[in-house]
Structure formats: structure tokens, C-alpha cells
Amino acid sequence: MEVVVVFQGEVLPIGALLERAQTAPVTMPGAGVGVRHTAADNAARCAVLLAAEDTPEACWRFGILQTLDDYASTLRRGGVALAAEVFAAEPAPTGSVQLDAAFAALADHLAERDGWTAPTWALDPTRCADGWYPAVPAIFRAEAQQDSPRAFRQRGILVTGRSLDRA
């Protein structure tokens, strides 16, 4: 006998999922909650990928978006102070000016958004790119120029409003 289960839930767009997550009650961190992955760890992995001739765009997905996911996970598990620790250690240079600037931009952006002090390394003016559109198709570049968050735009990294949306 075949049993057919029909999905009866609601499919939400990423923006609605993010809004729901941000308005969820804050949970208190449990004992043993700590930082599992850091921006420095992810930057080191990007350096390995780049040395193996991967592209900065591929490393954007792994390094920057993975760091954003790591930050969000730590934020949910342990709160803002713990999540800021994801960026405590300065990432070593990756071999890509664009990625080095993107790690700094992400730290600065999240610090501004969530109310913690950005680490000194993230404010280094040498961590700057020259008009990089990571994972932004040419058709959306005008949108990226307009919508890119200050921390990214200030460092020459142009992304759309959706570029940093995560489920």
C-alpha cells in the first residue's frame, strides 16, 4: 500500500523567513555555547582554494556567505557578544584583494546592523577593492550600485539587497 503525503505547509520567501527569525523570541545561551567557525578560518580556506586556482567569485560563496551563516548560527545560539567573536581574529590575506575587502565589509556591516564595535582590522583602509560585483549578473549591477550596504560600497564591493539574504 502506497502512502502519499501532501505538503500542507506554507512556502515563505527568504525575506519573510529572515523577518520571522529576527522577530523570534531571544533564547538564552546554554552552557558550552561557543564560536565554532570564524572569519579567519574561512579566509584561510579561501586562500587554499585560490592557491588551487579557484576564483574569488567561488570563494565569495564559500568564504563570505559561509561566514555570514556561521555568524547567524552563533547569534542564534549565543547572542550578539558571542557572534561578534566570529570576527575577533583578523583573517590573514587570502591572495585576493576583493575577498580581503569583503571579509572586512561583512564584519563592519554586521557590527553596524547588530550594535557591536567592528574590530580594528575591519576598518583598515587598505582592505578595499575596485568595483567588484561578486555573484551579481551584469543585468543587476545598477541595482547593486544603488542597494549595496554602506560597509560594502565603501570598500568597492557592490552587491544587491538580496546578495546577503540567507535562509
Side-chain angles (χ1 to χ4, degrees), residues 75-86:
L75 181 64
R76 279 191 306 276
R77 290 182 298 103
V80 172
L82 184 65
E85 292 297 313
V86 168

Side-chain angles (χ1 to χ4, degrees), residues 48-68:
V48 170
L49 292 172
L50 289 167
E53 300 186 13
D54 218 329
T55 65
E57 288 74 15
C59 289
W60 164 269
R61 289 186 297 278
F62 174 78
I64 303 305
L65 297 182
Q66 181 61 49
T67 301
L68 181 57

Side-chain angles (χ1 to χ4, degrees), residues 130-146:
D130 188 24
W132 186 41
Y133 295 87
V136 177
I139 192 171
F140 295 114
R141 289 191 174 179
E143 179 183 339
Q145 290 173 353
Q146 183 176 359

Side-chain angles (χ1 to χ4, degrees), residues 3-157:
V3 176
V4 176
V5 178
V6 178
F7 176 71
Q8 295 178 3
E10 178 182 7
V11 177
L12 297 173
I14 289 175
L17 290 170
L18 290 171
E19 182 178 333
R20 184 177 283 181
Q22 290 173 348
T23 59
V26 176
T27 58
M28 296 305 294
V33 171
V35 175
R36 294 181 181 152
H37 305 283
T38 67
D41 297 335
N42 291 337
R45 289 186 188 98
C46 284
V48 170
L49 292 172
L50 289 167
E53 300 186 13
D54 218 329
T55 65
E57 288 74 15
C59 289
W60 164 269
R61 289 186 297 278
F62 174 78
I64 303 305
L65 297 182
Q66 181 61 49
T67 301
L68 181 57
D69 289 345
D70 294 336
Y71 175 85
S73 173
T74 305
L75 181 64
R76 279 191 306 276
R77 290 182 298 103
V80 172
L82 184 65
E85 292 297 313
V86 168
F87 296 96
E90 180 175 0
T94 61
S96 165
V97 171
Q98 295 95 340
L99 286 170
D100 296 342
F103 277 107
L106 184 61
D108 187 12
H109 172 70
L110 294 171
E112 182 179 314
R113 185 191 79 183
D114 294 343
W116 48 274
T117 302
T120 304
W121 65 263
L123 305 176
D124 180 349
T126 63
R127 285 186 175 257
C128 193
D130 188 24
W132 186 41
Y133 295 87
V136 177
I139 192 171
F140 295 114
R141 289 191 174 179
E143 179 183 339
Q145 290 173 353
Q146 183 176 359
D147 292 352
S148 196
R150 178 211 48 86
F152 287 87
R153 188 175 51 255
Q154 185 176 36
R155 288 170 181 82
I157 300 166

